[in-house]
Amino acid sequence: MDTDVLIVGAGPTGLMLANQLARRGVRVTVVDRHAGPARETRALGVQARTLEIYAQLGIVARALELGRIATGANLWAQGRKTARVPLGEAGRGLTPYPYVLILGQDDNERIIGDKLREAGVAVQWNTELVALAQAADKVTATLRQPDGTSRKVEAAWVGGCDGAHSSVRELNAIAFPGAPYEHVFYVADTEATGRMVPGEVNVYLWRTGFHLLFPMRGKDHWRIVGILPPGLRDSKHASIEDVLPSLRAEAGAGLAIKACSWFSTYRIHHRAAQRFRDRRCFLLGDAAHIHSPVGAQGMNTGLQDATNLAWKLALVTQGRAHAALLDTYQEERLPVAQRLLATTDRAFRLVVSDSWLAGLLRTKVLARIAAFAMAREPIQRFAFHTVSQIGIHYRASSLSASEPGLPDDAPRAGDRFPWLRLQLEPDAPVEDLFAKLDDKEFNLLLIGQPSPPDLPGLRGLSHIHAIPADPSNAAELARARIPNPSFYLLRPDGHVGLCGPLLQPAALQRYLSQHLHLRP
Ligand SMILES: Cc1cc2nc3c(=O)[nH]c(=O)nc-3n(C[C@H](O)[C@H](O)[C@H](O)COP(=O)(O)OP(=O)(O)OC[C@H]3O[C@@H](n4cnc5c(N)ncnc54)[C@H](O)[C@@H]3O)c2cc1C
């Protein structure tokens, strides 16, 4: 076998998968048909859940240094500011990163790519997957090399991170049902001044469309995203000058574009692959699902697909788990993609519909509802949970198991375990729990109970954290509705695998063999 995992595509998803595997000691080969990393910014909203994963990879400081924190989003309709979503306040206490980080896809790829190089893995550019043959124990991939010749690579598994036109998907004849939207988007990188709230996202709703203005690093640097006015949809040569009248009509006549360094138009689709796996091949990121950019979820979802699959592939390639564990990738991530498609589709249709009624709804009703809703804390927090992706859960997964006896409002199996600040040793200072979890292994949290002397199945696989009984810990646990006593076995990706009131070694053993498919 030439490699454990052949990763096709070195966009954000492929680079994340390669990193997550390489740091767990899995041999990876990464190929991409382009000559080098993408230079366009494309996606630019990095959500809190992604930043939590960046922290585990050791790249969050660099991302924060290069990006721009947006702590609020402002909604404008008919020239008036109608609502502000206070992202910072809405997410306070829920994550170390209560905001959206505005950081272009090119910068994200550079940071994740640098980390991969540190792990000793180099992307093979100008190398295209052209054929695949699957056998019971391996996949043979044919790659076209920079000099035009072909070579064959044998891999135990293939990660198809090769974008919307995925060859891995097509070579496995996996359908990609969905449709294109009739609207054409544009993106522009500009130097602009106007009435925009500085340092925050500004959303302009107008009768026949919308504009989003994202604050970028640098003075007066704004990324503008919008849909082309209907008359321009078929134009092949639209420019910033063409969209300025509609932009000024909403963002105010005072809006001045001093420079535009990039203007591009694109048509988007909403599609999800029928399956995320065919035997030894997996689909991740845009290869598996594409949707409207409303909500800045696309790149983030691909990064989390990679995080979900990587720890499972690592356990299987290292012979520590049976291949049945890999079935849970599709089981967990396909419903996430389908839900995302449905919600972004609904939101998108509302903000772009051409109908007169929708225009009225957008500029009058939606603006008022948003102003009303966003003044309410529970709604703000619900919105933050959803957009930041910290609310994504796998409660229905076969990997999620709860022992009876936990209250209904306690964190459940499948949830991302909440962010807590705890005293992890008696009389020690309060620490960020996420910083203490080892995401290369499982982590067992024991609350109000001693660590059993022997947990055979977990040896070498898990870190055990017995949380000391202490008034500040009790208050923090109560805030997150974590009862005493309780135990939580966290998977490497931070989601709860098994939980319950008192840990019984036999129940743990059963979980490890029957749910996680660990080898004895
Ligand atoms: C103009 C534009 C604006 C966007 N704006 C946003 C936004 O604001 N927010 C958001 O969340 N998302 C946005 N997106 C979507 C976002 O860019 C994607 O979700 C993200 O790029 C997906 O990453 P990926 O790694 O899965 O795929 P990609 O980034 O598409 O990477 C796939 C890689 O696979 C390679 N490849 C393809 N076929 C082969 C092959 N046969 N052999 C070898 N290599 C191959 C390609 O060269 C490419 O490098 C935008 C997209 C576009 C086009």
Side-chain angles (χ1 to χ4, degrees):
M1 203 79 73
D2 299 307
T3 187
D4 291 328
V5 183
L6 171 66
I7 296 172
V8 185
T13 307
L15 292 171
M16 176 58 83
L17 181 63
N19 262 296
Q20 295 283 19
L21 289 169
R23 62 201 282 270
R24 292 178 166 89
V26 178
R27 287 183 310 148
V28 294
T29 299
V30 189
V31 299
D32 196 295
R33 70 175 170 201
H34 283 157
R39 284 203 207 96
E40 295 165 345
T41 40
R42 300 210 287 175
L44 43 70
V46 185
Q47 303 293 352
R49 184 65 189 129
T50 299
L51 292 170
E52 292 174 359
I53 293 167
Y54 279 7
Q56 287 158 344
L57 267 185
I59 57 174
V60 76
R62 184 81 184 122
L64 293 175
E65 189 187 324
L66 289 181
R68 181 149 189 186
I69 289 172
T71 50
N74 302 278
L75 197 63
W76 298 74
Q78 298 183 312
R80 282 194 315 120
K81 198 173 101 183
T82 56
R84 177 176 182 273
V85 185
L87 292 167
E89 282 126 66
R92 186 157 303 138
L94 299 176
T95 169
Y97 313 102
Y99 40 76
V100 178
L101 184 73
I102 309 294
L103 179 69
Q105 185 168 332
D106 50 346
D107 282 332
N108 280 279
E109 290 183 22
R110 192 169 39 247
I111 295 169
I112 314 174
D114 286 348
K115 193 70 193 173
L116 187 62
R117 259 189 304 283
E118 269 175 40
V121 179
V123 175
Q124 299 175 24
W125 297 106
N126 279 318
T127 305
E128 181 176 7
L129 172 79
V130 290
L132 274 177
Q134 294 217 44
D137 59 342
K138 66 177 180 215
V139 188
T140 306
T142 307
L143 304 176
R144 189 181 299 131
Q145 307 188 96
D147 62 3
T149 59
S150 293
R151 103 182 124 104
K152 288 199 188 311
V153 167
E154 285 184 356
W157 306 97
V158 171
C161 307
D162 46 349
H165 304 286
S166 167
S167 306
V168 176
R169 191 184 65 233
E170 282 167 15
L171 291 166
N172 281 298
I174 299 175
F176 200 37
Y181 289 107
E182 62 185 297
H183 298 85
V184 180
F185 268 81
Y186 72 83
V187 293
D189 266 337
T190 65
E191 201 187 323
T193 52
R195 289 173 57 207
M196 300 80 82
V197 179
E200 302 203 340
V201 179
N202 288 265
V203 181
Y204 294 90
L205 300 172
W206 51 300
R207 275 285 169 91
T208 51
F210 73 95
H211 299 292
L212 302 171
L213 272 74
F214 295 94
M216 303 287 283
R217 201 175 58 244
K219 189 167 179 318
D220 298 334
H221 185 179
W222 292 90
R223 157 68 72 83
I224 306 177
V225 178
I227 57 168
L228 285 182
L232 286 173
R233 266 177 213 164
D234 295 325
S235 160
K236 294 260 179 299
H237 307 287
S239 68
I240 187 78
E241 282 73 31
D242 295 321
V243 298
L244 258 183
S246 63
L247 198 51
R248 285 221 175 96
E250 264 318 304
L255 179 83
I257 307 280
K258 293 195 239 162
C260 176
S261 58
W262 180 53
F263 185 92
S264 178
T265 61
Y266 62 106
R267 197 174 275 277
I268 55 167
H269 296 240
H270 52 113
R271 297 178 185 277
Q274 225 144 31
R275 290 171 288 132
F276 282 12
R277 177 182 179 190
D278 187 297
R279 292 163 289 165
R280 291 182 166 268
C281 294
F282 296 88
L283 298 179
L284 304 89
D286 275 20
H289 43 75
I290 47 172
H291 34 82
S292 100
V294 167
Q297 304 288 302
M299 181 178 72
N300 294 275
T301 307
L303 295 173
Q304 283 164 57
D305 288 343
T307 303
N308 183 289
L309 179 62
W311 67 269
K312 299 171 182 174
L313 261 180
L315 283 177
V316 172
T317 53
Q318 290 156 356
R320 297 201 286 175
H322 294 280
L325 175 60
L326 299 174
D327 293 337
T328 63
Y329 167 67
Q330 164 170 311
E331 191 190 330
E332 295 185 341
R333 296 303 296 176
L334 187 62
V336 170
Q338 284 170 336
R339 248 192 324 270
L340 184 62
L341 236 74
T343 45
T344 53
D345 188 45
R346 269 200 301 274
F348 185 68
R349 283 185 195 284
L350 185 64
V351 290
V352 301
S353 171
D354 286 340
S355 82
W356 179 85
L357 187 63
L360 195 69
L361 195 70
R362 192 156 53 230
T363 52
K364 297 257 195 257
V365 185
L366 182 68
R368 279 202 199 125
I369 291 176
F372 175 81
M374 285 308 157
R376 270 136 197 92
E377 198 190 310
I379 298 179
Q380 285 175 8
R381 284 177 97 72
F382 174 76
F384 185 84
H385 263 97
T386 308
V387 175
S388 69
Q389 303 200 338
I390 64 170
I392 287 176
H393 65 77
Y394 309 128
R395 287 182 184 171
S397 163
S398 60
L399 284 185
S400 305
S402 296
E403 293 292 299
L406 285 183
D408 286 347
D409 60 354
R412 310 222 316 243
D415 290 357
R416 155 196 167 277
F417 191 74
W419 177 56
L420 303 174
R421 276 148 300 173
L422 293 171
Q423 207 178 322
L424 294 168
E425 302 287 340
D427 302 322
V430 168
E431 294 180 88
D432 172 349
L433 177 68
F434 280 10
K436 286 287 163 190
L437 299 177
D438 179 354
D439 72 318
K440 296 207 277 306
E441 304 291 355
F442 289 79
N443 288 275
L444 177 62
L445 304 182
L446 296 168
I447 295 125
Q449 56 196 293
S451 179
D454 192 27
L455 292 171
L458 275 184
R459 211 175 291 125
L461 266 183
S462 167
H463 294 265
I464 298 173
H465 309 267
I467 310 298
D470 164 279
S472 78
N473 280 353
E476 181 71 344
L477 292 166
R479 182 181 71 84
R481 312 232 184 286
I482 296 172
N484 185 343
S486 61
F487 74 90
Y488 285 87
L489 178 66
L490 311 190
R491 313 170 353 168
D493 60 6
H495 285 259
V496 178
L498 175 69
C499 57
L502 278 173
L503 177 64
Q504 307 291 343
L508 178 65
Q509 200 66 58
R510 213 171 33 246
Y511 176 77
L512 296 180
S513 62
Q514 293 176 11
H515 292 261
L516 274 177
H517 307 284
L518 290 192
R519 291 179 187 274

